Amino acid sequence: MITTDKTAKEIFFEVMANPQRVPFGFGNKAVLINVDPQKAYTRTDLYTTAYETDPNQLDYVNQLARGFRKLGWPVVWTHVAFLDSAEDAGVWGTRTDTPDSLQNIKYGSDRAAFDERVEIEPGDVVYTKRMPSAFFETPLQSLLVWHQVDTVIVTGGSTSGCIRATAVDSLSRGYRTIVPMECVADKHESYHYANLTDLHLKYADVMNVADVLAWLEARASDKA
C-alpha cells in the first residue's frame, strides 16, 4: 500500500491532471439522475445532516436539467423516505435512532421534501429510494432501457454514499457514467475528494460541469 502525507483533495487534483487517464466519454443519448437533493441533505440552515461543497451546486443541476429537457432526454430526481415503522429501512436503519437518523426521514416530512431551489418539471421522473443506489429496487433500469440511453450523468449527494453507489451500479449495467464535480457534495472534503478520485480512476469520468453543459449545447445545435 502506498502511503502519503498528501490530502485527499491534493491527490484528487493530481489524478485529474494526469493526461494518461482514458475517459469513457459521452455516448449518443444520456439520462440525468439527480440523487437526493432533498432538504435533509441540502438545507444546512435547517438540518445537521445536510452538507454543501459548491454553493452553486443546485443552480448547476438546474442548468443541466434544462439542457436535458431541451433535447427531450430523461431527467430523474430521487429522494429518500421511509415508512413510519421504518421497517423498509431494514438493517441500514438499526445503528442509531435519533431525530436525525436516516430511517426517521418519513414520507411526507420536511426532511424528505425536495429543496425548493431545484426545478422539477411535470415531465420529469421522480423516484423514492430506500438504499444508496438510485438503481436499487426502483424502476430506473426499465426507464433507461425504454429511452435507449447509453450515458448516465449523476448529480447530488453524498459523493461517498449514494453518488458512488449509483455510479458503480451504472457502470456495472454497461453505461458510460459521468459525474460533474461541482454537482456533487459530501459532509467532509476528505470523503468527497477521496471518492471522486476513486470514481474517476475506476468507475466514471469526473468532469467539470462546464464541459458537460457544453456537450449538451453542442447536441442541441446538432439537433436544430
Side-chain angles (χ1 to χ4, degrees):
M1 181 177 69
I2 298 171
T3 60
T4 181
D5 293 327
K6 295 176 182 176
T7 66
K9 186 175 183 179
E10 289 171 336
I11 293 170
F12 169 69
F13 283 108
E14 284 184 1
V15 167
M16 291 298 291
N18 181 0
Q20 295 180 357
R21 294 307 304 166
V22 178
F24 297 119
F26 295 102
N28 295 314
K29 185 178 181 181
V31 60
L32 177 64
I33 303 175
N34 303 306
V35 179
D36 305 345
Q38 63 195 88
K39 292 183 184 180
Y41 303 128
T42 61
R43 288 294 300 272
T44 56
D45 57 327
L46 295 177
Y47 300 111
T48 59
T49 52
Y51 38 76
E52 180 180 88
T53 301
D54 189 310
N56 297 312
Q57 177 189 5
L58 298 184
D59 180 55
Y60 291 133
V61 169
N62 288 332
Q63 290 181 50
L64 289 170
R66 290 182 212 124
F68 269 74
R69 295 188 197 102
K70 187 174 181 180
L71 288 162
W73 292 355
V75 176
V76 178
W77 307 85
T78 74
H79 61 147
V80 173
F82 297 99
L83 297 169
D84 286 344
S85 64
E87 60 196 276
D88 51 343
V91 71
W92 202 22
T94 62
R95 282 187 160 179
T96 63
D97 189 14
T98 72
D100 292 331
S101 295
L102 173 81
Q103 73 274 17
N104 289 323
I105 302 177
K106 304 301 186 185
Y107 283 103
S109 69
D110 191 62
R111 294 177 72 209
F114 287 106
D115 192 299
E116 298 90 341
R117 292 170 292 177
V118 298
E119 300 170 357
I120 302 176
E121 297 293 334
D124 296 350
V125 178
V126 176
Y127 292 139
T128 303
K129 69 181 185 65
R130 295 158 193 83
M131 293 294 153
S133 173
F135 285 92
F136 186 79
E137 294 184 352
T138 73
L140 181 59
Q141 175 66 24
S142 294
L143 182 81
L144 272 54
V145 171
W146 171 255
H147 281 282
Q148 298 181 343
V149 304
D150 57 7
T151 303
V152 171
I153 297 176
V154 187
T155 80
S158 67
T159 313
S160 60
C162 298
I163 297 301
R164 181 190 176 92
T166 299
V168 171
D169 274 0
S170 173
L171 180 77
S172 298
R173 285 165 169 78
Y175 296 108
R176 300 172 185 268
T177 306
I178 294 166
V179 178
M181 69 179 75
E182 298 92 341
C183 296
V184 293
D186 212 320
K187 193 75 174 177
H188 193 285
E189 72 168 23
S190 288
Y191 317 148
H192 176 70
Y193 287 111
N195 279 276
L196 282 181
T197 300
D198 203 47
L199 283 168
H200 190 64
L201 288 173
K202 299 175 183 175
Y203 308 115
D205 293 342
V206 177
M207 302 176 63
N208 291 308
V209 66
D211 294 330
V212 181
L213 288 167
W215 177 68
L216 291 172
E217 291 171 4
R219 292 304 303 267
S221 296
D222 292 341
K223 190 176 180 181

